[in-house]
Structures are given as structure tokens and as C-alpha cells.
Amino acid sequence: MILTDMLGSEVVDSSGDRLGEVSDVRFALDSAPTQLLSQARVVGIIVSPRTASSFLGYERQGMTQPWPVAQLLRWWHRGSFLVLWEDIAMMGSREVVLRPDFVAYESGLPR
């Protein structure tokens, strides 16, 4: 699957209730970030209850400038959460189904 195909997909729980849309994918580097060509692996997806639009980097804690943009994007994405890759039961062409016991984690990134 291509990453852009996943963005905007509807996310539902195991009973079919809509939770939101995939707005981003979270990656982790398994080696030092300064290492050239570090391999990345998918950690999970960010689910936004209102929109699949980008956070534009404002999910990082401490990003506050320009103030109106930061406030608008935080308000627009309120209620967003991270779902770990292993909590995804099925990924279709336009829908992501989560496992019954999935855990919703805070979507913000530390500084």
C-alpha cells in the first residue's frame, strides 16, 4: 500500500462505528537519527475525528507560532489519537478497521 492511499481513509471500530479519518502516519527510526539512510518503521496511524487534513507540524508540543494558525489547527484536530499498527485489524482501500481492544494514545509529539 502507498502511504497517500492510506491518508483520508475512514477509520471504524470493530463494530463499524466511525471514529474519524487517517490524517497522518507515525514512523520511528530504529537507529540514530543522524545515521545516513536510517531505516524507518511504521508505529501507527493518527486518527482525526473531523478531517484528514495535515497537522502541518503543529502536533509537536511547543509549536505556537504563528499563533492563529497553531490555535486553529489544534482546535480542528481536537480529539485526534494515535492507534498502534498492531491494533489495526484490517486495512482496505478506503477503510481501516481497528481491533476490538485497541488503545487510543495521545497524538501529540514531545519536543
Side-chain angles (χ1 to χ4, degrees), residues 10-33:
E10 189 165 294
V11 179
V12 297
D13 62 14
S14 59
S15 60
D17 294 330
R18 183 184 186 280
L19 300 174
E21 298 176 9
V22 177
S23 65
D24 205 353
V25 178
R26 186 70 46 88
F27 290 90
L29 296 175
D30 289 328
S31 57

Side-chain angles (χ1 to χ4, degrees), residues 50-65:
R50 281 169 262 321
T51 181
S53 67
S54 172
F55 277 90
L56 299 175
Y58 286 93
E59 74 277 11
R60 291 171 178 83
Q61 297 171 1
M63 293 288 292
T64 60
Q65 300 298 325

Side-chain angles (χ1 to χ4, degrees), residues 69-88:
V69 175
Q71 294 300 331
L72 176 66
L73 287 171
R74 286 199 178 100
W75 174 80
W76 191 252
H77 287 286
R78 68 191 183 280
S80 294
F81 56 94
L82 168 71
V83 175
L84 297 180
W85 190 252
E86 48 270 6
D87 283 341
I88 296 174

Side-chain angles (χ1 to χ4, degrees), residues 11 19 26 42-47 81-88 96 98-99 102-107:
V11 179
L19 300 174
R26 186 70 46 88
V42 176
V43 172
I45 59 173
I46 304 294
V47 179
F81 56 94
L82 168 71
V83 175
L84 297 180
W85 190 252
E86 48 270 6
D87 283 341
I88 296 174
V96 176
L98 303 181
R99 295 188 189 284
F102 82 93
V103 177
Y105 294 95
E106 171 64 40
S107 64

